[in-house]
Amino acid sequence: MKDNSIYGHYAAIITIVIWGTTFISTKVLLSAFLPIEILILRFAVGYVALLLISPHMIKFKGIKEEFIFALAGLTGICLYYLLENIALTYTLASNVGVIISLSPFFTAIIGSIINKEKVKPNFYIGFLFAIMGIILISLNGSSLSLNPKGDILALMAAFIWAIYSHLTKKISTFNYNVIQSTRRIFFWGLVFMLPIILISDASFPPYAFKSLKNIFNLLYLGLGASALCFATWNYAVSSLGAVKTSIYIYLVPVITIIFSSIFLSEKITVMMILGTVLTLTGLFISGKQK
């Protein structure tokens, strides 16, 4: 591992730890807001935060470059979360958790086809270990119930995130400040969300903003899970590459069960522990350099 890549690993770990806890905030907010309302509020907060940190605007340098930013906003900000949220209305959360974890596999496949990136056999071996572990964690003794519509939407979300990862790798070659480039991606994501807001039942109920609990969780999602995490994720992708960074997605369910135990008093079972061991083993195998 190169010395300058160590910060990329740190950035990826910070990102995944925070993303693994967002379910708590989202669960709280769903009692007052619609999913699309939460989505646009968190990224609007994130955009403002990034603007305050780095007010300098990226200059327009042509349609081709702007198209990449717009495509990143469409895929990673708008479509990914929209598909994931809709999938949850049709299928089990455990199904979505397992299927979304296929994203590193799609990232590797896209990289090998488009960018001619060489993917070593240990990546696929580690992938199998990690997926087995994630299945054990997500199902935890319950049977896997196939729900074609929801499962296909979740599969599409996993594929969309893989595309986003490669787009951010491309954006990193533009040599912009990571905060400024992340903000530009947020801008386009919000633009693509506006038509959805207009055709939805979104009302952003005023009473919901009177709750300090709601305000705290919106700030956590906007400042932490959006502004900070997308910047750190994009930095990790630029440092490590899309495929290597995507491997850290395996850790999301592991982080989730740890914080579920701490904040929601959910019991950690033997199956969860075994799943965690398999997932961490898969992460180690996939990340090996030789």
Side-chain angles (χ1 to χ4, degrees):
M1 180 172 57
K2 297 179 181 179
D3 292 338
N4 61 356
S5 71
I6 188 66
Y7 298 107
H9 288 284
Y10 289 153
I13 291 171
I14 290 171
T15 305
I16 292 303
V17 168
I18 295 177
W19 278 349
T21 65
T22 55
F23 77 99
I24 299 175
S25 292
T26 302
K27 189 173 182 179
V28 170
L29 291 171
L30 282 172
S31 64
F33 296 100
L34 296 174
I36 186 61
E37 292 173 335
I38 297 172
L39 189 58
I40 200 164
L41 284 170
R42 66 178 281 186
F43 283 104
V45 169
Y47 179 86
V48 172
L50 294 175
L51 182 62
L52 292 173
I53 293 171
S54 182
H56 180 71
M57 304 297 288
I58 293 177
K59 294 181 179 179
F60 178 77
K61 292 186 177 180
I63 296 296
K64 184 177 180 180
E65 184 176 290
E66 201 62 35
F67 177 74
I68 300 297
F69 277 115
L71 200 55
L74 175 63
T75 54
I77 307 302
C78 183
L79 287 181
Y80 171 77
Y81 285 99
L82 190 62
L83 288 168
E84 184 180 68
N85 287 343
I86 296 174
L88 286 169
T89 66
Y90 289 105
T91 190
L92 302 175
S94 57
N95 288 36
V96 175
V98 172
I99 294 170
I100 290 296
S101 297
L102 295 174
S103 182
F105 177 77
F106 289 133
T107 304
I109 295 299
I110 293 173
S112 64
I113 295 174
I114 297 178
N115 300 325
K116 307 300 180 182
E117 296 179 11
K118 292 183 179 180
V119 182
K120 298 177 182 178
N122 61 283
F123 172 87
Y124 297 107
I125 296 171
F127 169 78
L128 292 175
F129 272 90
I131 286 299
M132 287 190 292
I134 290 166
I135 289 173
L136 290 179
I137 292 171
S138 299
L139 299 183
N140 192 29
S142 62
S143 59
L144 181 65
S145 177
L146 297 179
N147 298 273
K149 182 180 285 188
D151 294 343
I152 290 173
L153 288 171
L155 192 65
M156 290 171 62
F159 184 75
I160 288 293
W161 185 261
I163 294 174
Y164 171 75
S165 293
H166 284 287
L167 288 170
T168 54
K169 179 62 178 176
K170 176 64 176 179
I171 289 172
S172 70
T173 64
F174 299 159
N175 296 318
Y176 291 123
N177 177 288
V178 68
I179 293 176
Q180 294 168 4
S181 60
T182 301
R183 190 181 69 229
R184 181 60 65 91
I185 294 171
F186 277 23
F187 168 78
W188 281 109
L190 289 167
V191 167
F192 286 115
M193 287 182 204
L194 289 178
I196 302 170
I197 289 291
L198 295 176
I199 63 174
S200 71
D201 296 325
S203 61
F204 302 96
Y207 75 87
F209 295 97
K210 297 179 181 179
S211 168
L212 289 178
K213 181 172 64 175
N214 289 341
I215 295 298
F216 171 81
N217 284 289
L218 280 173
L219 289 175
Y220 180 72
L221 290 178
L223 300 179
S226 299
L228 173 63
C229 284
F230 271 81
T232 52
W233 182 263
N234 293 347
Y235 173 78
V237 170
S238 68
S239 300
L240 306 175
V243 176
K244 189 177 292 185
T245 304
S246 71
I247 293 171
Y248 281 98
I249 290 175
Y250 298 150
L251 288 178
V252 170
V254 175
I255 299 298
T256 298
I257 65 169
I258 292 173
F259 280 89
S260 294
S261 175
I262 295 172
F263 291 104
L264 301 180
S265 300
E266 294 184 0
K267 184 179 179 182
I268 296 179
T269 66
V270 173
M271 187 168 289
M272 286 181 174
I273 294 173
L274 178 58
T276 298
V277 171
L278 283 171
T279 301
L280 293 176
T281 301
L283 177 68
F284 174 76
I285 294 173
S286 290
K288 287 186 68 175
Q289 299 297 304
K290 296 180 180 181

